[in-house]
Amino acid sequence: MTKTTHTINRAASRELMKDFSLEMTGKDVPSLLEARPLIPLGTRINVTFLGNEDLEMRVAAAKSVREMGFVPVPHISARRLESEQRFREFLSRLQDVDAAQHIFAVGGDPAQPEGPYSDSLSLIHSGILQEFGVREVGIGGYPEGHPDIRKDVLWRALEDKSAALRDQGLDTVILTQFAFDTEPVAEWIGEVRARGINAPIRVGTPGPAGIKRLLGFARRFGVGANAMIVKKYGFSLTNLVGEAGPDNFVNDLAAVLADQPARKGPGLRGQVGLHFYTFGGLAETAGWARRFTGRQE
């Protein structure tokens, strides 16, 4: 792991923070209402597809996002769909509340599919998305790998999904899993572009969170609680009290990306932004984003 810390490039940090997106669960509508004054109108807000939430909760959350002036991006978990009928019902309900134009297709957690869809590519290949007005599909990216999936399999999946969406005339956004180190992220973005995939990329970034919780999520997703995480997020493993914010990570990533053209050729970065995993703290994350952006002026 690199230990390099780049000089802060405030203009690059401001640029990277433009049009960031947020994530919420179906249960987070009260939190979204609280955070509403802090979130720029038109912000994309992803609504997760969790096993302990039902259709009504997911649709109600997507509807609330739209009614508050934001852009809903509902998740669809392939392996959690019991049938094609359930898939169609969910999309139909989303269309009814004007929340079906942007979706995020993900395989999902269950080891065995609960219905006919084994992965997000099967959702794309179904041809059903377009029937309900879907125009853009988000797909997953893994800059720091996946604990259960080989790297070559991840690359093949990204290429196959990108090609399938292009062939179907659907726009693509790549949304990455949590990232904790900037150099692997920059290298991964370079590899994505080298493979001819030019879709916008949103780098998954943990919002401000309790340090113990942050490290717990890092371990869950196969990222070790090592010195790199400590340095990027500015805390000590000997003192796990308090919160850690992504200031260092965002500034460092912005500087690395701003330096990319000089290092590896023009146009490598392309469209890159941030997606914040909020851990239920929508107001905390939105407030942090406003303060952070203000400090870059």
Side-chain angles (χ1 to χ4, degrees):
M1 293 287 181
T2 180
K3 293 182 185 282
T4 302
T5 299
H6 296 80
T7 302
I8 293 176
N9 182 331
R10 296 190 185 281
S13 294
R14 281 199 309 272
E15 183 67 24
L16 186 60
M17 282 292 293
K18 282 183 179 178
D19 190 33
F20 63 82
S21 52
L22 299 167
E23 188 150 311
M24 65 177 285
T25 73
K27 298 175 182 176
D28 286 337
V29 174
S31 297
L32 180 62
L33 190 60
E34 176 190 0
R36 181 182 184 180
L38 301 171
I39 303 173
L41 291 176
T43 296
R44 292 166 178 249
I45 299 183
N46 288 42
V47 181
T48 57
F49 194 111
L50 302 180
N52 61 355
E53 297 175 353
D54 58 21
L55 175 67
E56 298 301 327
M57 189 176 294
R58 295 169 190 140
V59 173
K63 180 181 180 183
S64 294
V65 170
R66 171 69 70 190
E67 290 177 342
M68 291 186 203
F70 309 120
V71 177
V73 185
H75 290 201
I76 303 179
S77 177
R79 287 193 287 273
R80 291 193 187 280
L81 292 171
E82 303 97 322
S83 63
E84 179 182 322
Q85 179 181 355
R86 178 65 71 174
F87 184 22
R88 289 180 175 276
E89 181 183 7
F90 185 40
L91 287 171
S92 176
R93 293 289 304 280
L94 291 174
Q95 189 177 40
D96 288 344
V97 297
D98 194 22
Q101 295 183 25
H102 309 265
I103 65 104
F104 178 68
V106 62
D109 293 332
Q112 296 298 322
E114 297 174 12
Y117 305 108
S118 59
D119 53 28
S120 54
L121 185 59
S122 62
L123 298 180
I124 296 167
H125 279 318
S126 72
I128 294 173
L129 294 170
Q130 299 92 318
E131 295 180 26
F132 295 92
V134 174
R135 295 192 292 106
E136 177 191 271
V137 178
I139 56 177
Y142 298 87
E144 296 184 44
H146 188 289
D148 302 318
I149 306 174
R150 296 197 323 268
K151 188 171 290 187
D152 63 312
V153 175
L154 291 173
W155 280 117
R156 187 165 61 249
L158 185 64
E159 290 177 323
D160 289 347
K161 286 183 280 191
S162 298
L165 290 169
R166 183 180 62 246
D167 291 346
Q168 294 185 33
L170 292 169
D171 293 335
T172 306
V173 173
I174 301 171
L175 178 63
T176 82
Q177 189 46 268
F178 297 149
F180 288 93
D181 195 4
T182 49
E183 291 288 349
V185 171
E187 291 170 6
W188 179 85
I189 291 171
E191 180 68 15
V192 170
R193 300 310 186 211
R195 290 171 182 257
I197 301 171
N198 298 313
I201 295 171
R202 291 179 175 269
V203 178
T205 307
I211 293 170
K212 288 184 178 179
R213 191 171 191 189
L214 178 65
L215 293 177
F217 273 91
R219 295 188 186 99
R220 175 183 171 189
F221 289 97
V223 181
N226 57 26
M228 173 271 297
I229 297 179
V230 171
K231 181 170 72 68
K232 295 297 184 190
Y233 284 80
F235 59 85
S236 168
L237 285 174
T238 61
N239 181 10
L240 300 184
V241 177
E243 287 202 344
D247 304 60
N248 293 346
F249 175 83
V250 173
N251 279 325
D252 206 27
L253 179 61
V256 171
L257 292 174
D259 192 40
Q260 284 284 29
R263 297 164 67 203
K264 297 184 179 180
L268 178 61
R269 175 182 167 181
Q271 292 178 268
V272 179
L274 298 176
H275 175 77
F276 289 101
Y277 293 93
T278 64
F279 307 113
L282 280 163
E284 291 84 351
T285 301
W288 171 87
R290 176 171 287 195
R291 293 190 300 274
F292 177 85
T293 302
R295 291 195 295 270
Q296 310 313 313
E297 298 297 337

